[in-house]
Amino acid sequence: MGAKIKKHPNIITFLGAVEHPLSGLLLVYELIDGLSLEDYFRVKHAHKKTWRPKLKRSLRWGQQIFMALDVLHSACVPIVHRDVKPANLMVS
């Protein structure tokens, strides 16, 4: 039985799963248009080596991440992400 979470603007929508004969179980999620936070930082650093995000922007990103994690952890069957890192966060 899967966990049911409420829709949240900072959480990608799970669409389903399919069984692939060679790859096994594949999870299908909505397509997000944008860059990972890791790629976003890489692009910014390529243009300006000393670039850092402004404090206000960093705090907003952190707030969005914490709100999304709160929804996951508060589900009737709590979900723990276990791999929160810039490569797994999208900037859109």
Side-chain angles (χ1 to χ4, degrees):
M1 173 151 94
K4 193 88 165 150
I5 61 167
K6 60 184 175 181
K7 189 137 178 77
H8 190 273
N10 300 115
I11 299 176
I12 192 168
T13 302
F14 173 72
L15 300 175
V18 294
E19 183 75 37
H20 187 275
L22 300 176
S23 303
L25 185 64
L26 301 175
L27 303 179
V28 182
Y29 295 93
E30 71 177 302
L31 177 64
I32 301 297
D33 187 26
L35 295 172
S36 71
L37 190 57
E38 181 177 54
D39 290 339
Y40 181 81
F41 284 173
R42 192 174 291 123
V43 167
K44 289 292 190 178
H45 275 284
H47 292 9
K48 185 177 179 185
K49 296 293 183 201
T50 60
W51 178 85
R52 288 193 329 193
K54 294 188 184 315
L55 178 61
K56 190 172 183 175
R57 176 174 284 178
S58 297
L59 292 173
R60 182 68 183 133
W61 286 338
Q63 182 183 35
Q64 291 174 0
I65 293 164
F66 294 138
M67 287 187 310
L69 290 174
D70 183 54
V71 168
L72 294 176
H73 296 169
S74 300
C76 60
V77 177
I79 299 170
V80 178
H81 189 290
R82 294 186 57 166
D83 201 18
V84 177
K85 60 185 179 186
N88 291 336
L89 300 170
M90 297 296 293
V91 178
S92 63

